[in-house]
Amino acid sequence: DQQVKQNSPSLSVQEGRISILNCDYTNSMFDYFLWYKKYPAEGPTFLISISSIKDKNEDGRFTVFLNKSAKHLSLHIVPSQPGDSAVYFCAASVYGSGNTGKLIFGQGTTLQVKP
Amino acid sequence: DVKVTQSSRYLVKRTGEKVFLECVQDMDHENMFWYRQDPGLGLRLIYFSYDVKMKEKGDIPEGYSVSREKKERFSLILESASTNQTSMYLCASSYDLWGEEGRNQPQHFGDGTRLSIL
């Protein structure tokens, strides 16, 4: 049973426009959410996170929004750049374990930003 | 910068062989993890370790074992390799910090080992 779901396998966006990547989860015990970015032939790298006590976290061009009632989070990239083209994984962790404990990952969304 | 090094980028083995995947980190992290990445399934946790000689099963431990004899090294063992274990294997490490401090310490990943079982 997939507890963290990224229902869009791929997304294509024009350079300069907004990219919105979505993620849904089913386990109400998740209290911390993260986004990782992965280039081909490299390991995932941490991008941004959000605690369940917040509904928004911003870091430069990247903003993560959390809607707890809908069990939904999204990653916004504004403006999108060709270098953002990668696979993006949403992940969640169980209460109290922060980012150091067990993470549950989604299937990933491949973002292509066209010049 | 944190460095997580996986011993092989590509590996080809035969069914029934015992396969060892090695991972070393240089940041004195307490926690280490093994994941596999498959198309359409994302990253799935196989095993993790929060201290030397300690291990816990992840979501898909069947057919695998692990060893952590030293803090910096975490090995994944395929006891008798099968074709359904063909996958990308990713090792990660992190500090063992709880609460708010832990939230700001991400897991750091190696570049992966692409394992093919023939």
Side-chain angles (χ1 to χ4, degrees), chain A residues 82-98:
Chain A
D84 296 330
S85 298
V87 179
Y88 289 79
F89 290 100
C90 168
S93 71
V94 177
Y95 179 77
S97 64

Side-chain angles (χ1 to χ4, degrees), chain B residues 23-79:
Chain B
C23 175
V24 177
Q25 50 93 4
D26 66 357
M27 279 301 293
D28 204 33
H29 285 164
E30 292 84 6
N31 298 330
M32 296 189 75
F33 308 83
W34 275 106
Y35 296 87
R36 62 178 282 179
Q37 181 193 354
D38 299 290
L41 296 176
L43 276 70
R44 293 179 293 166
L45 182 65
I46 303 171
Y47 266 98
F48 67 103
S49 169
Y50 51 89
D51 202 352
V52 175
K53 297 191 185 296
M54 305 301 289
K55 62 184 179 183
E56 286 201 23
K57 293 180 180 179
D59 298 315
I60 50 166
E62 297 78 19
Y64 303 94
S65 63
V66 290
S67 172
R68 192 158 180 210
E69 296 297 318
K70 294 184 178 181
K71 190 175 186 180
E72 68 271 17
R73 186 180 297 270
F74 192 34
S75 303
L76 179 69
I77 304 155
L78 286 65
E79 297 291 342

